[in-house]
Amino acid sequence: NAGVTQTPKFQVLKTGQSMTLQCAQDMNHNSMYWYRQDPGMGLRLIYYSASEGTTDKGEVPNGYNVSRLNKREFSLRLESAAPSQTSVYFCASSDRDRRYSNQPQHFGDGTRLSIL
Amino acid sequence: GQSLEQPSEVTAVEGAIVQINCTYQTSGFYGLSWYQQHDGGAPTFLSYNALDGLEETGRFSSFLSRSDSYGYLLLQELQMKDSASYFCAVRGAGNNRKLIWGLGTSLAVNP
């Protein structure tokens, strides 16, 4: 009953280091998302993938890259980490929405990332 | 621009009823969702309204008025475990599957 699994759960980086956050879902969902959550800022979408083979920018994509490796996996890469990227990162997945039928997003437990 | 407004904090006592409001301004509208997030945890889906009216799921209900660009989450028979942050989110037209999120309402339930 795994749902959405994120690794690692915690990470500390130095400025300039690179890092890939991993996300995998076992619900056969088409869509996957990466969010960051900062205190008082709610959830902000970084990138999303509507289906395998496609990725699109969200609200705050600068400094990040993503790869939709297959239907199950969606990774987020920080090429050169900056202190402003200190945050909690959530991966989520959902089925394809219909016009008036919402598919809930299912979230992983998050990765707490600190950049010094 | 696109934005959602909800109160930052609400306090209530066990057994009471609390209403968390959400007003939105978006280009197009395909539905209002509510999510719950406990401290240090992942957001979890609570409810969804695409059409006007009330949706009830146990102790929680959600209401939508599209003409007023307004919705609310109603929590009844409050329990201590309901202390959490509650987020409204809107799926706008032309946004594929992207949700636009409010900043969240922190609910504290006191004994």
Side-chain angles (χ1 to χ4, degrees), chain A residues 79-97:
Chain A
E79 290 291 351
S80 179
S84 61
Q85 294 177 305
T86 293
S87 188
V88 180
Y89 290 84
F90 286 102
C91 176
S93 71
S94 72
D95 265 333
R96 182 181 298 275
D97 288 321

Side-chain angles (χ1 to χ4, degrees), chain B residues 4 11 21 24 32 34 43 55 66 74 88 90-92 107-108:
Chain B
L4 286 82
T11 302
N21 299 321
Y24 58 88
L32 179 68
W34 290 92
E55 295 282 341
R66 288 174 296 168
L74 190 73
C88 58
V90 166
R91 186 162 79 95
L107 170 64

Side-chain angles (χ1 to χ4, degrees), chain A residues 1-115:
Chain A
N1 197 19
V4 179
T5 303
Q6 291 184 236
T7 56
K9 295 191 184 308
F10 302 92
Q11 185 70 48
V12 179
L13 294 177
K14 295 181 180 179
T15 297
Q17 287 185 315
S18 61
M19 167 96 195
T20 299
L21 308 186
Q22 306 287 353
C23 176
Q25 52 93 7
D26 62 3
M27 295 172 283
N28 201 34
H29 286 163
N30 288 305
S31 303
M32 298 186 74
Y33 315 81
W34 275 106
Y35 292 93
R36 60 177 289 174
Q37 186 174 35
D38 303 296
M41 295 294 290
L43 286 158
R44 292 187 291 171
L45 183 66
I46 305 170
Y47 271 94
Y48 71 102
S49 172
S51 60
E52 186 179 356
T54 69
T55 60
D56 284 288
K57 295 179 180 179
E59 189 182 346
V60 289
N62 291 344
Y64 305 94
N65 285 302
V66 290
S67 295
R68 183 74 183 267
L69 304 169
N70 47 55
K71 192 171 186 179
R72 289 187 63 248
E73 299 173 286
F74 189 37
S75 63
L76 178 72
R77 183 161 178 84
L78 288 71
E79 290 291 351
S80 179
S84 61
Q85 294 177 305
T86 293
S87 188
V88 180
Y89 290 84
F90 286 102
C91 176
S93 71
S94 72
D95 265 333
R96 182 181 298 275
D97 288 321
R98 300 288 182 254
R99 184 179 177 97
Y100 285 112
S101 173
N102 177 70
Q103 297 300 319
Q105 292 190 9
H106 299 259
F107 286 79
D109 289 335
T111 295
R112 278 115 186 112
L113 184 60
S114 293
I115 299 161

Side-chain angles (χ1 to χ4, degrees), chain B residues 38-79:
Chain B
H38 287 100
D39 270 351
T44 56
F45 174 78
L46 288 178
S47 68
Y48 172 73
N49 296 71
L51 303 175
D52 291 351
L54 191 68
E55 295 282 341
E56 297 181 69
T57 309
R59 294 187 298 114
F60 294 0
S61 303
S62 58
F63 172 82
L64 175 66
S65 169
R66 288 174 296 168
S67 60
D68 296 321
S69 298
Y70 163 76
Y72 66 72
L73 180 69
L74 190 73
L75 297 83
Q76 303 181 73
E77 301 172 19
L78 281 173
Q79 302 175 9

